[in-house]
């Protein structure tokens, strides 16, 4: 994997990319559904990855009905809140990557479909908030991912053109948003592997954040000189 241009900033997705929150939330949904007498297909849970709250609610309601969905989400989010307050586990390699970028004074922002202030709370509890100069959430824009709005807002917040930003994403929904914003994009899949359609987008795909760090080390010493 090789970048054609040297990005001036890096914009990070949050859930599934920096935080192991997708797995945690899916666990909360599965456990709560079982307690309430429902069975949620694995395919349905995977389809929720990267989706804004309204889409998640609608997909569940299509299967369970609105009343059951609202009860399920209320109990699941309450269970998930305890995990958030304790600090959602970090994805491997995220701290090392952030430390490298901070060492070389490369601007960093978050672009997350999670709403504020929950996004700020999750980042703070996980110890990641101090690494970022700007946090863009779905509360800040008219349209959530896969629209480019959140990524464009993040770039604007850093004062750097989207074309000069590197976006890091785990989900196909997020990848579409970052590419639509005009950013160089690297996908690090978590629970959802990219299918043939997603691979056809022409972006970079790699196995871990350690790979991203190794890639950026090729040009960061030059830019810091």
């Amino acid at each position: 994997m090789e970048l054609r241009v040297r990005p001036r900033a890096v914009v990070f997705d949050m859930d599934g990319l920096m935080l192991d929150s997708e797995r945690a939330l899916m666990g909360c949904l599965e456990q709560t559904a079982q307690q309430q007498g429902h069975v949620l297909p694995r395919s349905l849970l995977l389809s929720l990855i990267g989706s804004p709250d309204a889409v998640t609610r609608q997909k569940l309601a299509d299967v369970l009905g609105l009343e059951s969905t609202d009860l399920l989400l209320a109990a699941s989010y309450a269970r998930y809140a305890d995990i958030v307050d304790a600090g959602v586990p970090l994805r491997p390699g995220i701290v090392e990557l952030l430390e490298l970028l901070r060492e070389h004074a490369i601007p960093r922002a978050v672009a997350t479909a999670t709403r504020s202030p929950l996004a700020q709370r999750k980042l703070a509890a996980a110890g990641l908030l101090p690494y970022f100069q700007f946090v863009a959430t779905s509360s800040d824009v008219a349209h959530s991912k896969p629209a480019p709005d959140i990524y464009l807002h993040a770039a604007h917040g850093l004062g750097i053109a989207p074309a000069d930003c590197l976006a890091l994403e785990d989900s196909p929904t997020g990848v579409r948003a970052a590419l639509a914003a005009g950013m160089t994009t690297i996908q690090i899949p978590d629970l959802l592997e990219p299918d043939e359609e997603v691979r056809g987008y022409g972006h970079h795909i790699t196995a871990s954040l350690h790979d991203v760090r190794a890639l950026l080390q090729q040009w960061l010493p030059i830019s810091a000189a």
Side-chain angles (χ1 to χ4, degrees):
M1 184 173 61
E2 185 175 321
L3 297 180
R4 297 176 182 174
V5 296
R6 294 177 183 173
R8 295 176 53 212
V10 182
V11 183
F12 292 74
D13 175 47
M14 183 177 70
D15 296 297
L17 188 282
M18 295 192 290
L19 304 180
D20 203 5
S21 45
E22 304 283 15
R23 193 172 278 101
L25 182 54
M26 282 179 58
C28 292
L29 286 168
E30 284 183 311
Q31 293 169 29
T32 306
Q34 289 175 1
Q35 292 174 352
Q36 295 181 355
H38 306 299
V39 176
L40 297 179
R42 182 73 173 178
S43 59
L44 172 60
L45 290 169
L46 290 175
S47 76
L48 304 178
I49 293 175
S51 299
D53 291 343
V55 174
T56 293
R57 182 173 181 267
Q58 187 57 58
K59 285 185 176 182
L60 290 171
D62 289 343
V63 176
L64 303 177
L66 283 174
E67 183 176 354
S68 294
T69 292
D70 287 342
L71 290 172
L72 171 65
L73 289 177
S76 298
Y77 288 158
R79 189 191 299 262
Y80 182 57
D82 292 335
I83 298 175
V84 170
D85 290 339
V88 178
L90 302 179
R91 297 291 297 154
I94 184 58
V95 172
E96 294 89 340
L97 175 56
L98 288 169
E99 286 287 354
L100 177 72
L101 295 172
R102 181 161 66 178
E103 176 186 349
H104 290 277
I106 302 300
R108 304 162 302 278
V110 176
T112 176
T114 297
R115 298 187 65 79
S116 183
L118 178 57
Q120 300 270 353
R121 190 169 129 225
K122 290 166 81 169
L123 291 167
L128 297 183
L129 190 58
Y131 284 103
F132 296 99
Q133 288 82 38
F134 192 78
V135 177
T137 76
S138 59
S139 300
D140 305 318
V141 298
H143 304 288
S144 190
K145 301 175 185 180
D149 302 34
I150 295 174
Y151 274 102
L152 293 174
H153 185 55
H156 180 76
L158 291 177
I160 295 176
D164 292 326
C165 295
L166 171 66
L168 302 180
E169 267 286 353
D170 69 295
S171 74
T173 299
V175 167
R176 288 195 290 272
L179 290 173
M183 295 187 181
T184 299
T185 305
I186 300 178
Q187 183 179 10
I188 305 94
D190 179 22
L191 292 171
L192 201 59
E193 285 296 321
D195 58 19
E196 185 176 348
E197 178 186 354
V198 174
R199 292 183 180 276
Y201 297 160
H203 61 296
H204 302 286
I205 302 174
T206 192
S208 74
L209 291 169
H210 294 296
D211 293 340
V212 176
R213 183 176 183 275
L215 172 69
L216 296 185
Q217 279 184 311
Q218 298 174 17
W219 59 265
L220 279 176
I222 298 175
S223 65

